[in-house]
Each structure stands twice: as structure tokens, then as C-alpha cells.
Amino acid sequence: MIRRIGYVLIVALLLSSCGAKKRRSTQKKGAPVVVRTEKPTAKPANDLDTEEARDLFPMPEDTGRFERFPISDTEDYIDNFAEIAQYEMRAFGIPASITLAQGILESGSGRGELTLKTNNHFGIKCHTGWQGEFDFHDDDAKGECFRKYNHPMYSFRDHSIFLSTRSRYAFLFNYRRDDYKRWAHGLRQAGYATDRKYPEKLIAIIERYNLHEYDEAVVDTGLSTVRQPKQYDVFTHTVEKGDTLYGISRRYDISVDELRRLNNLNDNIISIGQVLNIRVSQ
């Protein structure tokens, strides 16, 4: 399994491909058939239109496997998704701090029920025009249709496209890319959320975790600068007789603290048959 931002793969190879591929569409019994009709209505910060941004900042092809991401807490969420939020900021001009704060709030730091079963980090519903997979979840009404992704990276990209292709959000792209406060209030003004305190919640998350620093890093290096993020593999280890957390950490060259964090362990006690998540850098 690919962990963290290993999904950006080899950018040069992707750039030489023949363009963005359409997603697989999956129809389920009783669900409406939708078609893609919308065109971009807003310009990303680097003056690329949405199709150009997709081409210059591509996503790897979907493997077709649903990847599960065990997230222990908000810091772990940020550690895993900050780089993809910055990648999206370079492509579409949406502040990384806003993307991260929305993801944290909407997904329960990656641990909410909807996110766990759909990898949908932003609570985006199917809407007319959605051709991808979907699932049903009780939200404002019972059994609403939500978009489903095999990997969280596609959720982040869809969030970028969602904001940059709808006219009601177009004015946001006139704001400075590091002005997270105006973006937070602008999202509420545009109707992204009905919660009157939505802007204050986003701002509080950003300032508590210093997420604005990710915006500043992108602005300092240039919005359209592509940086290849780190790559990680995630797999599992089934505890056998004689295994210790320290021994497993040595075997896979990972710290005991990281093992505990990945597996929500409060101590070093493990049991035979227990399945542990392991993450190693490539």
C-alpha cells in the first residue's frame, strides 16, 4: 500500500502521459445516472485553467484498490496529508492551510465513519456531474449519496476541482493565497457550509496547528513549483510468538514510537495474532 504522499510517484513520467484520464464510473441499483457537464469557471492562482492544472500537476492512475489509512490523531493527519495539500495549492491556488483545516473538520481528522468507508475527506456529495464511485451515508437526510475514492489523494484533488469549477467560489481566487482568514469567511459566504461558526472553526484549527506555515512555504518557493513528496509503503505484520515491539521496529527500521502511533498503542504490549500497521520510506 502507498502511504502518505507516495501517490505523486514520478512526476516527469506522468507529465509525459497523454493527459488526465477519466475516472471509472460505478452505478449502483437505485442511484441516479449522472453526466459531467460543468466547465471551469475560476482561475487557479498560477493563472492556469483547471484542465491545465490537471495536466501539469497530475495524479497517478487509480489502481482500483480501496486503500485504508489508519490515522491516530490530528497531528498524524497533518503529517500524512500536508504535502498533498501543498501540491494542490501549487496546482489550484487554494491555501494548503484551508484544505487541511477543512479535511480535519469534515473528516474528524480522518477517523470519521464516512471517511473510513469512502476516503471522502471533505464530505462532498455526489451532485450532478459525478461519474465516480459512491456510497450512502446519513447526513442532513437519511441515506445521502457521497463520493467515494480508492485513495485519499483523489479526494484532495476532487476538492480542488470542486472549488475551482463552480462559479459561486470564483471570487475566492481573488484573495491572497496566504490569507486563510478571508478564505475561511469566503467559503461560508459562498455556501460551502451552513454552520455560522464554520469560518471560526477553520481559523481555530489553522492557528492551533500552525497550518499557515504550509501556505508560506508554498508562496516562498513559488505556487507553480513542483516538489516530489516523500514516498511511503504501508503494510501489515502479524505478531508471532517471541515478537516484541522493539524487535519488530528493528526488523522494519521504524521507531517504536512510530509503531505505537500507527497502531494507537498506549504501551509496548502486543499479543500473538495481532495485526500491526508498518510504514517504511522508499
Side-chain angles (χ1 to χ4, degrees):
M1 290 174 58
I2 300 175
R3 181 69 170 180
R4 211 178 179 189
I5 315 305
Y7 31 74
V8 181
L9 301 180
I10 304 174
V11 173
L13 178 61
L14 289 169
L15 290 177
S16 65
S17 66
C18 60
K21 300 181 186 293
K22 291 184 178 179
R23 290 183 191 224
R24 296 182 299 112
S25 93
T26 302
Q27 297 179 16
K28 295 188 178 181
K29 187 176 180 180
V33 177
V34 293
V35 295
R36 187 182 187 87
T37 56
E38 293 185 275
K39 294 183 179 180
T41 56
K43 284 279 188 178
N46 50 13
D47 292 327
L48 301 172
D49 65 30
T50 303
E51 291 301 325
E52 290 173 323
R54 289 181 187 180
D55 290 341
L56 291 177
F57 296 82
M59 290 277 105
E61 187 174 357
D62 195 335
T63 64
R65 292 194 312 271
F66 184 83
E67 308 286 0
R68 300 187 184 279
F69 273 63
I71 301 295
S72 59
D73 53 31
T74 302
E75 287 85 354
D76 190 28
Y77 185 94
I78 296 166
D79 185 51
N80 277 282
F81 299 116
E83 286 177 304
I84 191 60
Q86 289 180 303
Y87 187 75
E88 293 301 293
M89 181 178 178
R90 291 186 175 96
F92 292 88
I94 302 165
S97 62
I98 287 291
T99 298
L100 285 169
Q102 284 192 282
I104 290 167
L105 185 59
E106 301 288 347
S107 75
S109 296
R111 295 175 293 171
E113 180 184 351
L114 174 65
T115 300
L116 290 174
K117 69 179 182 179
T118 64
N119 278 329
N120 187 332
H121 284 239
F122 301 94
I124 299 179
K125 297 178 183 179
C126 292
H127 299 296
T128 300
W130 176 243
Q131 294 179 319
E133 296 185 22
F134 50 85
D135 206 333
F136 298 102
H137 182 76
D138 294 346
D139 191 52
D140 295 328
K142 186 176 179 62
E144 291 190 274
C145 182
F146 285 86
R147 303 182 183 192
K148 182 177 181 180
Y149 313 89
N150 283 327
H151 196 291
M153 65 174 171
Y154 300 117
S155 178
F156 277 75
R157 173 51 55 94
D158 202 33
H159 171 263
S160 299
I161 294 172
F162 185 84
L163 292 183
S164 63
T165 58
R166 283 162 171 74
S167 58
R168 59 180 170 146
Y169 299 114
F171 71 94
L172 295 173
F173 294 86
N174 295 322
Y175 297 157
R176 286 171 50 92
R177 306 314 167 200
D178 55 357
D179 192 347
Y180 62 87
K181 291 183 179 180
R182 292 193 71 184
W183 272 82
H185 286 284
L187 283 167
R188 170 71 177 86
Q189 178 184 337
Y192 190 96
T194 57
D195 185 353
R196 293 182 179 180
K197 295 185 178 180
Y198 191 74
E200 288 74 19
K201 290 179 179 179
L202 293 182
I203 292 169
I205 292 171
I206 290 170
E207 295 181 347
R208 177 178 179 181
Y209 296 101
N210 295 317
L211 301 182
H212 52 84
E213 293 179 358
Y214 295 107
D215 301 338
E216 295 164 5
V218 173
V219 171
D220 289 345
T221 57
L223 281 168
S224 58
T225 300
V226 179
R227 286 184 174 184
Q228 186 172 350
K230 297 176 183 178
Q231 293 183 328
Y232 287 86
D233 280 338
V234 171
F235 52 96
T236 60
H237 171 88
T238 302
V239 177
E240 300 175 350
K241 184 177 180 180
D243 277 348
T244 64
L245 210 60
Y246 176 73
I248 294 171
S249 72
R250 293 292 298 274
R251 183 184 308 177
Y252 296 109
D253 192 25
I254 182 175
S255 71
V256 172
D257 287 343
E258 179 72 356
L259 271 177
R260 290 174 57 180
R261 188 165 63 87
L262 280 173
N263 294 280
N264 296 320
L265 299 177
N266 296 321
D267 49 41
N268 293 349
I269 299 174
I270 53 177
S271 57
I272 296 174
Q274 184 176 356
V275 178
L276 299 176
N277 294 303
I278 308 292
R279 181 170 68 188
V280 295
S281 58
Q282 296 180 350

